[in-house]
Amino acid sequence: MSKSILVIGSSGQIGTELVEELRKIYGNSHVIASDIKKPQVEQTGPFEELDILNKEQLHAIIKKHNVKEVYLLAALLSATAEKNPAFAWDLNMNSLFNVLELAKEKVIDKIFWPSSIAVFGPTTPRQNTPQFTVMEPTTVYGISKQAGERWCEYYHNKYGVDVRSIRYPGLIGYKSLPGGGTTDYAVDIFHQAIKTNSYECFLSENTALPMMYMSDAIKATIQIMQSPKENIKIWSSYNLSGISFTPKEIAVEIKKHYPNFNITYKPDFRQQIADSWPQSIDDSRAKEDWNWKANYTLEKMTNEMLKNLEQLLKQKI
Ligand code: NAD
Ligand code: SER
């Protein structure tokens, strides 16, 4: 039986787009989508219902499809995790252990596991945050991602596990909805601009955060996974940078398309999370080691988001 790739958490914001791209490269039947919930879009290849915390179910799917590569995307994100810290820790850590163990036992060959800018905390330098620096995350999500990075590096050093990772910034795309993060406003704002010409933002106007257009994030994910092993020098997780902007700056960009667009600000608990994260990221190691380069500026992303989302929302009416 030919080898296949398993994406766990495929119904989420990243999984929806990643599965589509992987299927273009490796063929529909070789990329198995899996999630605890139904997909956001119609599937062009196999979909398996999977609770990643259920080891037997995971092992059965790996065996059934001869899976050799796993993209583990299932997790609770920053805002949702704060509402249920114990469960967030359980899901974010044990999902990773279940997959790392499969690689340790040589059942699978390669893993992608995403980390996040949330690994940094209020004591981290906030501008152009270095790859190696102080990391004292204050959210349960950030703590789980930092611990996950340590475990990835440990499994690599100790057992030779090939597990590759990126610290994604906040991701923005039109094909799927975000799943409970602090950066979700930067997706919602486009939906609301088109639907109501107005948006009430849960972060304050000058809150700068590192962000990235989804197609850049997917490109980086596939690029790091396809890089020759000898090019990977960091086995915890790579800093990755796209664009940095504030709610006020993205609103100005949207106003170029919707001149009457109105934004108001009503910060909630997510403000404190955002204030503990970097404002911009130094990703020179990703550039040096595996040739990373982002394509999207704020202007280019806004054009793409509005054009594609307008079309999609029209089709749904
Ligand atoms: P998401 O919340 O949109 O998707 C996660 C998916 O995992 C959901 O479809 C959910 O149903 C699924 N899931 C939850 N519990 C599961 C379980 N027990 N078994 C199987 N599936 C389960 O998240 P996302 O934005 O797609 O993020 C994917 C990964 O990327 C996460 O690890 C997240 O921390 C990381 N990340 C995302 C961003 C971002 O801006 N989206 C930024 C940094 C890091
Ligand atoms: N976008 C993510 C979040 O806000 C960052 O990891 O949780």
Side-chain angles (χ1 to χ4, degrees):
M1 192 202 294
S2 60
K3 295 178 189 176
S4 58
I5 294 172
L6 177 66
V7 180
I8 303 169
S10 63
S11 305
Q13 191 197 7
I14 300 172
T16 301
E17 297 211 26
L18 181 64
V19 165
E20 201 181 294
E21 273 316 299
L22 289 173
R23 283 182 175 153
K24 277 186 205 158
I25 300 169
Y26 300 104
N28 290 344
S29 61
H30 292 113
V31 179
I32 320 302
S34 72
D35 201 292
I36 202 165
K37 73 173 192 218
K38 298 260 177 299
Q40 288 191 41
V41 295
E42 211 174 296
Q43 293 297 296
T44 54
F47 175 85
E48 295 278 1
E49 214 169 288
L50 167 67
D51 177 355
I52 181 58
L53 297 179
N54 183 333
K55 272 199 240 178
E56 287 71 38
Q57 212 179 18
L58 171 66
H59 287 218
I61 290 170
I62 297 268
K63 198 168 166 204
K64 176 176 165 193
H65 295 280
N66 193 26
V67 171
K68 290 294 162 195
E69 219 168 278
V70 169
Y71 291 73
L72 172 57
L73 304 176
L76 281 202
L77 273 75
S78 59
T80 317
E82 285 310 297
K83 294 180 182 157
N84 197 345
F87 177 68
W89 179 256
D90 183 25
L91 175 63
N92 294 6
M93 297 315 304
N94 285 320
S95 56
L96 180 58
F97 282 126
N98 287 349
V99 174
L100 285 173
E101 279 295 306
L102 281 173
K104 180 185 159 191
E105 290 157 14
K106 311 246 180 287
V107 176
I108 57 173
D109 300 332
K110 213 189 219 179
I111 302 167
F112 176 79
W113 173 83
S115 184
S116 158
I117 51 165
V119 291
F120 301 114
T123 51
T124 302
R126 295 188 75 198
Q127 305 293 341
N128 214 23
T129 300
Q131 173 71 42
F132 301 108
T133 184
V134 180
M135 292 163 90
E136 295 184 315
T138 49
T139 61
V140 63
Y141 175 69
I143 297 168
S144 73
K145 289 293 183 187
Q146 192 197 26
E149 286 190 9
R150 300 286 86 229
W151 279 112
C152 287
E153 193 184 76
Y154 183 90
Y155 269 71
H156 175 75
N157 291 341
K158 193 103 179 164
Y159 310 116
V161 167
D162 187 346
V163 52
R164 306 181 181 196
S165 178
I166 285 170
R167 292 173 181 150
Y168 286 136
L171 301 182
I172 300 158
Y174 65 91
K175 294 185 184 171
S176 51
L177 292 169
T182 303
T183 57
D184 290 11
Y185 92 83
V187 178
D188 286 351
I189 196 169
F190 287 106
H191 285 256
Q192 292 311 318
I194 294 168
K195 287 181 194 155
T196 67
N197 220 355
S198 66
Y199 183 64
E200 184 179 271
C201 186
F202 57 75
L203 297 181
S204 64
E205 60 183 338
N206 293 320
T207 308
L209 284 171
M211 300 277 189
M212 181 175 281
Y213 191 47
M214 188 61 87
S215 73
D216 270 342
I218 301 297
K219 185 180 80 161
T221 307
I222 292 172
Q223 209 174 323
I224 192 175
M225 285 298 273
Q226 287 182 338
S227 291
K229 200 172 173 185
E230 59 274 16
N231 289 9
I232 308 298
K233 306 278 177 8
I234 295 172
W235 292 95
S236 51
S237 192
Y238 276 92
N239 272 7
L240 195 72
S241 174
I243 40 186
S244 286
F245 57 80
T246 64
K248 193 174 167 184
E249 286 165 343
I250 194 173
V252 167
E253 210 51 52
I254 291 173
K255 264 177 190 277
K256 291 182 187 166
H257 302 257
Y258 290 81
N260 295 327
F261 176 67
N262 183 44
I263 183 165
T264 53
Y265 302 94
K266 196 177 174 196
D268 65 15
F269 73 101
R270 289 167 281 193
Q271 183 66 47
Q272 206 184 352
I273 300 178
D275 288 340
S276 76
W277 288 353
Q279 297 184 328
S280 59
I281 298 283
D282 172 10
D283 62 354
S284 45
R285 288 301 304 268
K287 286 176 176 146
E288 278 163 34
D289 291 357
W290 42 275
N291 260 334
W292 160 247
K293 190 175 179 299
N295 283 334
Y296 280 83
T297 58
L298 176 58
E299 189 186 7
K300 195 170 163 195
M301 178 190 80
T302 306
N303 290 344
E304 287 271 311
M305 277 299 287
L306 289 174
K307 186 182 75 190
N308 289 303
L309 205 51
E310 278 163 11
Q311 250 177 22
L312 260 186
L313 293 176
K314 242 190 242 157
Q315 282 165 14
K316 283 187 183 161
I317 295 173

